[in-house]
């Protein structure tokens, strides 16, 4: 009986760890459908998404491969990368950023809705 309880507890802890890892590696379209509004293009090279952050809105933990951000409007986001303290990112309309693979969350700490275009660069397909 003690062995069964020990095995059950080990499986439960393992399941919890697997599920908690998934929290930090979610697809942004699934993690934040109120922020990531629409996939504009999706092929074997890139995925392009329209993003809108209302003031105070939070984008939960999610991950990206290499990606770019194009700001359509001005705004201020608080960005928290996994394992790091939060930082403030100020955008001006027309700004373009390149970002390496990351797991992060964000919050619009400004006064206006921020509109962005995020382009994820997909890794080359193996032949």
């Amino acid at each position: 009986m003690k062995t069964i309880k020990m095995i059950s507890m080990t499986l439960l802890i393992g399941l919890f760890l697997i599920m908690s890892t998934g929290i930090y590696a979610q697809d942004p379209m699934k993690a934040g459908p109120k922020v990531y509004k629409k996939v504009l293009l999706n092929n074997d090279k890139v995925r392009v998404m329209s993003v809108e952050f209302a003031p105070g809105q939070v984008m939960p933990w999610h991950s990206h491969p290499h990606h770019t951000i194009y700001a359509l409007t001005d705004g201020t986001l608080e960005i928290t990368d996994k394992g790091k303290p939060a930082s403030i990112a100020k955008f001006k309309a027309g700004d373009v950023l390149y970002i390496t693979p990351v797991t992060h969350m964000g919050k619009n700490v400004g006064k206006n809705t921020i509109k962005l275009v995020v382009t994820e660069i997909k890794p080359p397909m193996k032949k």
Side-chain angles (χ1 to χ4, degrees):
M1 187 68 158
K2 189 174 181 180
T3 304
I4 293 173
K5 284 184 180 179
M6 187 66 115
I7 292 170
S8 296
M9 188 59 113
T10 302
L11 289 173
L12 184 61
I13 290 170
L15 180 61
F16 174 75
L17 290 173
I18 290 169
M19 288 176 64
S20 65
T21 301
I23 290 171
Y24 289 105
Q26 285 200 31
D27 181 289
M29 293 300 297
K30 293 178 184 171
K34 292 183 179 178
V35 175
Y36 277 73
K37 300 291 188 179
K38 183 178 181 183
V39 174
L40 304 171
L41 173 67
N42 190 15
N43 62 31
D44 62 333
K45 305 287 185 201
V46 297
R47 179 170 66 161
V48 181
M49 298 163 284
S50 66
V51 178
E52 288 185 26
F53 272 94
Q57 192 167 31
V58 174
M59 176 62 195
W61 288 102
H62 62 284
S63 296
H64 296 281
H66 291 277
H67 62 290
T68 64
I69 297 173
Y70 177 72
L72 298 171
T73 62
D74 297 355
T76 305
L77 291 177
E78 179 184 81
I79 305 289
T80 306
D81 289 352
K82 184 178 175 186
K84 296 182 181 177
S87 62
I88 300 297
K90 294 189 177 207
F91 296 95
K92 295 279 185 203
D95 284 352
V96 180
L97 301 169
Y98 169 80
I99 302 171
T100 58
V102 67
T103 296
H104 62 189
M105 65 179 294
K107 179 179 181 181
N108 182 345
V109 294
K111 295 179 178 152
N112 57 311
T113 297
I114 301 168
K115 295 182 180 183
L116 308 167
V117 175
V118 174
T119 301
E120 294 180 335
I121 303 163
K122 296 182 180 180
M125 296 178 67
K126 295 180 181 179
K127 293 183 180 181

